[in-house]
Amino acid sequence: MFVTASAPTSKTALPKDLFGAIEMLKKDLNAVVLAHYYQDPDIQDVADYIGDSLGLSQQAASTDADVIVFAGVHFMAETAKILNPNKLVLLPDLAAGCSLADSCLPDDFAKFKAAHPDHVVISYINCTAEIKAMSDIICTSSNAVKLVNQLPAEQKIIFAPDRNLGRYVMAQTGREMVLWQGSCIVHETFSEKKLLQLKMEYPDAEIVAHPECEAGVLRHADFIGSTTALLTYVQISVCDRFIIATEPGIIHQMQKQLPQKHFIPAPPEANCACNECPYMRLNTLEKLYWAMQSKTPAVTIPSEIQQRALAPIQRMLEMSAR
Ligand code: 13P
Ligand code: SF4
């Protein structure tokens, strides 16, 4: 992760109407606020666009705003910067990382690649710019199966860094892939046993799960998909109660769009709030305001890495549109 620009040292008093002040700053800066579903409800409510990683990348690729305020984690803002090297990309808290991105360091990944020389490298977007620069194709949870299916049957594949998504893609495509052994600390926290207890309590509920969950949770899911796909599924399903096996931030949109339906967060193993992503939750509405007001912290990437990381992202956007 490249961290150069720092947060403002002295913060001015917050305006009374933070939402109104952010709207004014959007106009002054010609800025767009892009937010992931795992962000706090307040941030989702002020965003111009809320989406999954693919939707956010597509928005970043097509925006004509001068400033992109990214309410998500570092690899997402970094992707926006790779697509827009000449724009200012702000991330309210630069420490908003990701356990998957942290699990895959460039030196180790170079050795892993060298051990499998005739393999194409498909990397989940949840990785750093350096790993993207070492990859052939980037994918997200919403297009991984589609992209793998487009490769010739004899093509050998490395899939990094999420082993759970990798296993899911292998099951869906029938393809063998060499998996990097990374995982998401949030999606690995769900308890299969507690999920089944909850299902006994609510037998009418459908279980929807993100493919970053472990196989033990996925095997009980009525539907598996990216955050956007989960949101679409609960809209079209005739069921009116759902157990949600992903970060519970998305329940804000589900509840907002479907106030008559019921959404129950899948329980974590321990008695904690560890189904909330600690990185995503570092961003707050206040930090978002300060970032816009001070135009910092900004995401920066060395141009050589940016240029190499751009091609596999563009390949993803092209293959995704097929
Ligand atoms: P998607 O929103 O692309 O499904 O990804 C979920 C996630 O874990 C993002 O970090
Ligand atoms: Fe990374 Fe998991 Fe948080 Fe997504 S939910 S940002 S994959 S740690």
Side-chain angles (χ1 to χ4, degrees):
M1 182 192 295
F2 302 103
V3 177
T4 51
S6 57
T9 43
S10 70
K11 287 169 181 165
T12 49
L14 284 170
K16 276 208 184 79
D17 177 10
L18 209 44
F19 284 90
I22 290 171
E23 288 305 330
M24 272 175 54
L25 280 167
K26 279 188 203 173
K27 289 198 184 83
D28 291 351
L29 299 173
N30 186 25
V32 65
V33 177
L34 305 181
H36 189 267
Y37 294 117
Y38 296 165
Q39 292 290 279
D40 278 348
D42 278 354
I43 295 183
Q44 294 190 36
D45 290 347
V46 87
D48 297 298
Y49 175 84
I50 316 163
D52 67 0
S53 304
L54 179 63
L56 289 163
S57 307
Q58 288 165 332
Q59 289 293 316
S62 63
T63 185
D64 55 11
D66 295 320
V67 177
I68 299 173
V69 186
F70 214 109
V73 289
H74 195 274
F75 76 79
M76 296 177 170
E78 215 174 34
T79 304
K81 183 68 179 174
I82 293 166
L83 287 160
N84 297 282
N86 299 321
K87 289 188 180 178
L88 180 63
V89 178
L90 299 171
L91 179 62
D93 193 323
L94 277 184
C98 169
S99 66
L100 275 167
D102 290 348
S103 79
C104 196
L105 301 177
D107 286 352
D108 299 335
F109 197 56
K111 287 182 200 139
F112 190 70
K113 272 183 68 174
H116 305 94
D118 48 355
H119 289 55
V120 154
V121 178
I122 304 188
S123 294
Y124 188 32
I125 198 162
N126 299 35
C127 64
T128 60
E130 293 113 307
I131 299 299
K132 288 186 175 76
M134 297 165 79
S135 305
D136 298 300
I137 307 169
I138 299 304
C139 72
T140 74
S141 55
S142 67
N143 62 19
V145 169
K146 180 175 181 176
L147 269 48
V148 168
N149 275 332
Q150 288 180 37
L151 298 179
E154 65 284 3
Q155 177 63 61
K156 295 180 185 165
I157 304 170
I158 286 177
F159 189 90
D162 186 8
R163 62 174 177 218
N164 290 321
L165 177 62
R167 266 196 300 259
Y168 171 74
V169 173
M170 278 169 45
Q172 293 296 304
T173 60
R175 302 282 293 256
E176 266 307 308
M177 302 195 295
V178 180
L179 303 183
W180 181 266
Q181 294 298 312
S183 62
C184 162
I185 51 166
V186 175
H187 289 89
E188 281 215 330
T189 199
F190 297 117
S191 156
E192 182 181 6
K193 194 170 145 207
K194 288 187 182 176
L195 182 67
L196 292 178
Q197 283 165 354
L198 199 57
K199 177 75 183 172
M200 275 166 68
E201 213 178 310
Y202 300 102
D204 61 318
E206 283 191 327
I207 298 173
V208 300
H210 194 280
E212 285 176 21
C213 293
E214 289 186 319
V217 166
L218 292 183
R219 81 166 71 101
H220 304 292
D222 297 289
F223 180 78
I224 298 169
S226 77
T227 50
T228 296
L230 297 183
L231 189 56
T232 306
Y233 181 79
V234 298
Q235 284 163 345
I236 59 174
S237 167
V238 291
C239 190
D240 66 4
R241 196 187 300 275
F242 301 89
I243 298 171
I244 310 296
T246 192
E247 216 271 6
I250 194 167
I251 293 178
H252 178 59
Q253 285 308 313
M254 291 175 168
Q255 205 67 81
K256 220 170 147 176
Q257 294 178 19
L258 302 155
Q260 75 287 8
K261 295 196 178 189
H262 305 278
F263 304 100
I264 311 163
E269 196 77 57
N271 290 326
C272 59
C274 32
N275 55 346
E276 287 184 6
C277 176
Y279 306 105
M280 288 276 182
R281 303 300 172 127
L282 283 176
N283 293 327
T284 61
L285 196 64
E286 290 78 9
K287 287 183 195 171
L288 189 138
Y289 166 76
W290 281 317
M292 293 179 79
Q293 207 225 24
S294 62
K295 298 200 216 166
T296 183
V299 173
T300 57
I301 307 171
S303 79
E304 181 259 336
I305 303 261
Q306 180 272 329
Q307 282 166 31
R308 285 198 291 127
L310 182 59
I313 297 173
Q314 284 177 328
R315 209 161 287 136
M316 167 185 83
L317 294 173
E318 281 159 28
M319 290 172 78
S320 223
R322 278 181 206 161

